[in-house]
Amino acid sequence: DHLFKLVIIGNSGVGKSSLLLRFSDDQFNESYLTTIGVDFRFRTLPIDQKQVKLQIWDTAGQERFRTITSAYYKGADGIVMVYDVTSENSFQDIDKFWISEVESYAEKNVELLLIGNKSDLDKQVSTQTAQEYAKSKNMEFFECSAKTADSVQQAFLTLARKLMNKKEQL
Ligand code: GDP
Ligand code: MG
């Protein structure tokens, strides 16, 4: 009865598809590859005795060419922006590229979540830097690992809760 559309963006290789596989199926697969074209998965979560269904869209490699179309963002209630904690470049690209995509194509009142993925590896991006950046853009922030499952549920749950609260305030 409560359905939200989420989209996942961020540089190629940061672990977007792996985060989605972890969140939707609680699996991790080193050689997981999506097929060509946009793919989405559903996950239903109970929040305060209500069933909240998330439809989560994943890019299938077109982010490598930065050719994600506006249709991908259309109707999105939440956007999950992902960088890789071992890649300074993937973090810088959030501000250099992905934020402006969101500003151009997403609804004005969209809720944003920033995920620093691969927290099981040695960090190149400091937690504090990312936290301050997220705060400045009014985004929730989590460091996660699709591999070990660290904080993956919490991150998506926080976004889902925010969307539910917002809906109930209307
Ligand atoms: P995408 O291009 O953003 O969808 O990234 P993928 O999900 O395809 O992941 C890219 C690579 O990073 C794959 O080899 C994954 O196995 C690996 N990977 C993804 N998430 C993690 C993680 O949390 N920790 C580690 N160590 N590797 C990860
Ligand atoms: Mg992918």
Side-chain angles (χ1 to χ4, degrees):
D1 42 351
H2 302 281
L3 172 69
F4 298 109
K5 175 180 173 178
L6 306 184
V7 303
I8 309 187
I9 58 175
N11 283 6
S12 182
V14 297
K16 299 180 297 301
S17 301
S18 299
L19 282 167
L20 182 52
L21 187 65
R22 171 61 74 193
F23 182 64
S24 63
D25 295 3
D26 201 19
Q27 286 180 32
F28 180 76
N29 184 339
E30 293 281 354
S31 59
Y32 176 66
L33 291 172
T34 50
T35 47
I36 301 301
V38 165
D39 184 27
F40 62 79
R41 285 162 182 271
F42 284 105
R43 164 88 195 263
T44 302
L45 289 171
I47 296 180
D48 303 331
Q49 275 89 34
K50 295 182 191 100
Q51 291 299 105
V52 177
K53 194 170 187 181
L54 302 176
Q55 181 195 42
I56 311 170
W57 295 56
D58 184 21
T59 55
Q62 67 269 45
E63 76 276 22
R64 185 171 302 136
F65 313 103
R66 307 224 159 150
T67 53
I68 297 174
T69 61
S70 59
Y72 184 67
Y73 295 93
K74 199 168 163 70
D77 301 291
I79 296 186
V80 181
M81 280 192 271
V82 185
Y83 69 93
D84 169 350
V85 299
T86 73
S87 162
E88 180 70 43
N89 179 59
S90 72
F91 176 68
Q92 285 171 2
D93 279 352
I94 297 286
D95 195 53
K96 277 202 269 183
F97 181 75
W98 296 109
I99 277 277
S100 42
E101 286 276 291
V102 170
E103 285 166 357
S104 309
Y105 298 124
E107 319 287 336
K108 294 300 154 242
N109 61 348
V110 73
E111 290 294 335
L112 305 177
L113 166 66
L114 180 66
I115 291 182
N117 188 42
K118 310 196 188 181
S119 65
D120 57 292
L121 301 176
D122 286 336
K123 228 178 280 173
Q124 296 295 317
V125 180
S126 91
T127 304
Q128 199 192 340
T129 304
Q131 215 154 36
E132 283 168 5
Y133 177 69
K135 203 171 168 193
S136 76
K137 298 288 180 186
N138 199 24
M139 303 190 266
E140 293 289 334
F141 170 64
F142 287 86
E143 284 177 334
C144 300
S145 169
K147 186 170 184 173
T148 66
D150 181 41
S151 296
V152 176
Q153 302 291 321
Q154 292 93 313
F156 281 94
L157 186 62
T158 299
L159 182 58
R161 274 189 185 282
K162 260 194 132 168
L163 293 170
M164 275 300 278
N165 288 342
K166 203 160 142 183
K167 188 175 176 184
E168 288 177 341
Q169 276 163 20
L170 292 178

